[in-house]
Amino acid sequence: MSVALVSAPAYAQDAAEGTTSNSEIVVTGTLIRNPNLEQSTPVNVIGAEEIDYQQANVAEELLRELPGVTPSIGSAVNNGNGGASFVNLRNLGSNRNVVLIDGVRLAPAELNGRFDLNNIPLALIERVDVLTGGASTTYGADAVSGVVNFITKRDFAGIEANLSNQLTEQGDGHTLRADVTIGANFDDGRGNAVFSVGYQQSDPIYQGAREHGLFALSSASGGGGGSGTSVPSRFSLPGMGTRQVNADGTAFNPTTAFLPFNFNPFNVYQTPFERFNMYGAAHYEVSDAVEVYTRGLFSKNTVSTIIAPSGAFGIGVNIPLSNPFLAPGLRNTFCGVDVNPSATVYTPRFTQAECDAAALATSRDDPNYREIGAGGFVAFDVNGDGDIADGEGYNPNPQTSLFRRATEVGPRISEYTTNYFDYRVGARGGITDSINWDVFGTYGETENIQQIQGYTLNSRVRDSFLATNATTCLDGTAAGCVPINWFGPEGNASWTPGAVDFLNEVSTVRTKVSLAQARATIDGDFGVVSPLGSDPIAFAVGGEYREYAASQASDTLAAGGDLGGAGGAAPNIDGGFSVYEAIGEIIIPLVQDRPFFEDLTIEGGIRYSDYKVDAPGSPSFSTTTWKVGGSWTPVSDIKIRGNYARAVRAPNIAELFSPVNTGLTNLQDDPCATFNDAGARIRPNPTGELRAICLAQGATGGNVDAIAQPIAGQANATGGGNLNLGPEVGKTWTVGVVLQPSFVPRLSLSVDYYSIKITGAITSPTPGDAITACFGADPSNPSAGASATDACTAIQRDPLTGGLNGDPNTTPGLFLTTSNLGRLETSGIDVALNYSHDVGFANLSFAGSVNWTEKSTFQSAPGGFNRDCVGYYSANCGQPIPEWQWSLRTTLAFDNADVSLLWRHIGGTKYEGLAGDFAARGFDEDSRFLFEGTLPASAGTLAGQQEDFNTIGSFDYFDLTTRFHVLENLTLTLGVQNLFDKKPPLVGGEAGSTTFNSGNTFPSTYDSIGRRYVAAARIRF
């Protein structure tokens, strides 16, 4: 029986196992197809046995188990999942690798150029090769961190049907997968055709269905966290911060404290998913010298992301004082606030007489009609020097911001429907007995339609306030306007079906991406042999052309940023680029079959690329990538190998063409904030230079002393593409040793050190970088004059509250621009072990892979902090980056059954604020710690537990699989995943990035679902 997980030697002949003499040979990392050659670059290989044991439903789940692969967007990502799944090699970003099928690129899923792993036809996958390091020479730009190459079964003949069911111990999250594959050889074996169809369906698992996810926990306090956009409503009051309306709707809570909204029960740990896919391939030998071939891939995927209800997330509203739902106590507070707290004389918004008279107005024509927030700026000599030219003044009727969940509308649901196809046709043959040619063309296209439901419209929320009676809105509001009582309790009588229909509309965003490519290569050898060698020198030369086009078209609701809680507008984008390339590779066996030189082989390659960007006036550019490597086998038991490569990544369409836009990012601490997200005071009012910075960024004298921390740990951030971007350059090298001792048969061990450095990286600053660049290493004590620096004035606050949340149209927040100023670096060691032994009654095999990460650093700009995330998690690092990870599969194979145990280890990590250089990383003494202690009563069902949000210990997961060969053509597989029902670590909701820190944990890294059972059957004729 073969070993389930192969990981290391990366011999080219491994790729040819099980193929016939006329089969295509796919060797990952080179265009040279000679099966007798060995490579210098290590490749991790997931074999057919491992694929069968894991019973993964999508390719992303399969790859996630590999040490050195950082979890990326997948089924566990709820907020930020655009309906696709990606892979992230070495934590260098999911946009820095290339996904291949049989060594050929596929059309991307979105504007960042990433392929959607949901489209991989797992039923036809023979193995998966994962090559780490710069593969740009062989595969072109984007392959800076490596490639993932899915190798399909070739010459498949027969009928194979697979049926798999998965269910959690709690009875939810049911997943069904079914595949049928039909193949046949024809014309005396000169041709083969195969066709496969598949279906998959997964049910959602809500965070509220797990004890650890039922309540949103604050990372800072351990108590009930959640969002400041809550129920009942909160309104901003000049000089008083925000105040929540009492439950009965008659008055404001006199303190800034409020009940945060628990959004967790609405969110999911497993996104619902449905997929139909088809894959077909054929090849035919037209003659002894020419073979034609083709391949087609089609899939239709539907993914639904479900998050908590929409609402008004700090948007400005105008409120008539005669609004029918405005109680006298609320009205008097609105009227009586001091709108110029900087002055020594109390200045109410309206006098009590004006307020009382306005309460009776029935229309805008009434001379007593007044609106809260409808005033204007008035010059005012604050300091008494007689000079108001410097802009001294105040707004006698500042606009009021509203924070309120529209729970009555229901959750926000984005349904992503993706239609994907990719077609390849080509021909290959022999020029001589040892020289081959190959020419092919492909065209692929992705169309993703996002249907956005359940989002209230900011403009409709504003209109629903504009009423003087309970049934009719004022003139000038949208058609069908319904007055709504935003002051009353949740679900009050004004929330009629008509009101819900008025507030929300279905919005649509359509994304289309296409890739056309053509490649022609000649490879083989001329029969020339090194004087000391025995195998001929092998080569490959060729040319390649690729043309990318992508667009994002949003309706007026999405493009205009009118969707409440959408995190900003979805702007229209249209762009593309093309590239012409020339390629050359060579492998030279220098010395063979000599004492201490059983084999000494060197190899090299070069690729020249010429890019044309489809935009007037945008610069075009050319790049050159190259690689050199070699291996030395002094004796058959040992091989020493090494490789050095210069890799290049060109900017993708999103990085080039995305317009500047305001969205959301994670930010735990705002140095200007004096209150936490629950309204409790956390520090004194800002003074001195700190106060000057807050004011320079858009806070006002009326709100600077009442700024709250970012709502739910999320702040506004503005960024976009840049047509002036150039390519980034990666320099990668590996060196290692492969041991296959003759005195221990069936044992192979490899150890490889890798290093990847990317300069001129296309990056944006982290939130921590933006804060530190302005406020300095000690945000509570910034340097003198910082308020006038570009780094500080680039940050723009909400004019209504002074915070970093608010209407994206008025609150840009942090400025996280895209540039070529970044630097990325990672290094570490990979160890792979494979061993099998006949123990008499069975065959015992071990297949293990270990990764030690030495460093994983990011620097957004020269002179900025060079952040190393190994061993840490935070909003800056995104998710935990453990130092140690490993997977070990132990299999006991009997005649008609296998028992296999997979052990996955994830090393411990801690909150980045605990780093010894925490100040340089942007953490101050007061805000760098997360919760540690006994969870308070507000933590709900978890109350009383001892938890440390600052530290995540090492985690070990075990998956047990038993496979029965019931009949010659029938195999049953039963499995238990997360055998010991290991619960995920708790860190609250603000300890990492929004994409990966969800449901109080990191559900892409740790199992948040619990023990699961898998049953599968495979029948083949």
Side-chain angles (χ1 to χ4, degrees), residues 363-380:
S363 71
R364 284 188 170 126
D365 296 330
D366 191 316
N368 291 319
Y369 179 85
R370 297 284 188 277
E371 282 183 10
I372 298 167
F377 185 82
V378 172
F380 189 83

Side-chain angles (χ1 to χ4, degrees), residues 884-905:
W884 289 95
Q885 287 181 281
W886 65 70
S887 294
L888 175 65
R889 181 170 290 282
T890 302
T891 303
L892 200 59
F894 302 90
D895 289 339
N896 294 312
D898 308 333
V899 179
S900 186
L901 182 70
L902 177 64
W903 172 25
R904 295 179 291 120
H905 175 84

Side-chain angles (χ1 to χ4, degrees), residues 804-952:
L804 292 173
N805 300 107
D807 188 338
N809 297 305
T810 61
T811 311
L814 306 180
F815 186 58
L816 307 180
T817 183
T818 305
S819 72
N820 276 109
L821 299 176
R823 178 185 174 91
L824 299 167
E825 183 175 357
T826 186
S827 60
I829 294 176
D830 285 327
V831 179
L833 168 70
N834 290 273
Y835 177 69
S836 64
H837 183 68
D838 188 347
V839 294
F841 61 90
N843 185 74
L844 177 65
S845 64
F846 301 92
S849 183
V850 180
N851 173 250
W852 171 68
T853 304
E854 180 183 28
K855 66 173 65 172
S856 180
T857 63
F858 167 76
Q859 187 179 32
S860 62
F865 182 72
N866 194 21
R867 187 182 308 279
D868 189 351
C869 285
V870 175
Y872 299 113
Y873 56 90
S874 69
N876 300 312
C877 294
Q879 57 185 314
I881 310 297
E883 183 179 1
W884 289 95
Q885 287 181 281
W886 65 70
S887 294
L888 175 65
R889 181 170 290 282
T890 302
T891 303
L892 200 59
F894 302 90
D895 289 339
N896 294 312
D898 308 333
V899 179
S900 186
L901 182 70
L902 177 64
W903 172 25
R904 295 179 291 120
H905 175 84
I906 304 171
T909 52
K910 61 183 179 181
Y911 184 55
E912 190 190 5
L914 297 182
D917 55 349
F918 69 89
R921 292 172 178 264
F923 298 87
D924 64 37
E925 189 73 41
D926 296 324
S927 65
R928 66 192 182 104
F929 294 104
L930 278 78
F931 173 78
E932 180 179 359
T934 303
L935 293 177
S938 53
T941 58
L942 298 172
Q945 287 187 197
Q946 292 288 323
E947 294 292 341
D948 180 3
F949 290 0
N950 294 274
T951 304
I952 298 177

Side-chain angles (χ1 to χ4, degrees), residues 24 65-66 101 193 207 304 503 558 571 578 611 622 724 754 779 840 967:
E24 178 188 11
E65 312 300 343
L66 277 179
I101 285 187
Q207 293 177 4
S304 296
L503 280 182
S578 58
Y611 288 85
S622 61
N724 294 315
Y754 63 89
L967 300 171

Side-chain angles (χ1 to χ4, degrees), residues 9 157 161 210 231 262 358 423 470 513 579 585 815 947:
R210 298 295 184 270
V231 182
N262 180 24
Y423 183 71
V513 185
V579 55
E585 292 187 33
F815 186 58
E947 294 292 341

Side-chain angles (χ1 to χ4, degrees), residues 507-574:
S507 181
T508 302
V509 178
R510 183 187 302 267
T511 301
K512 293 186 69 175
V513 185
S514 65
L515 168 62
Q517 61 180 323
R519 187 168 79 194
T521 57
I522 297 175
D523 77 287
D525 67 79
F526 292 108
V528 178
V529 179
S530 165
L532 299 178
S534 56
D535 289 330
I537 298 171
F539 73 93
V541 294
E544 186 169 332
Y545 171 78
R546 297 192 304 278
E547 181 177 351
Y548 294 87
S551 64
Q552 176 177 283
S554 305
D555 60 20
T556 55
L557 299 178
D562 201 20
L563 300 176
N572 292 327
I573 303 171
D574 193 4

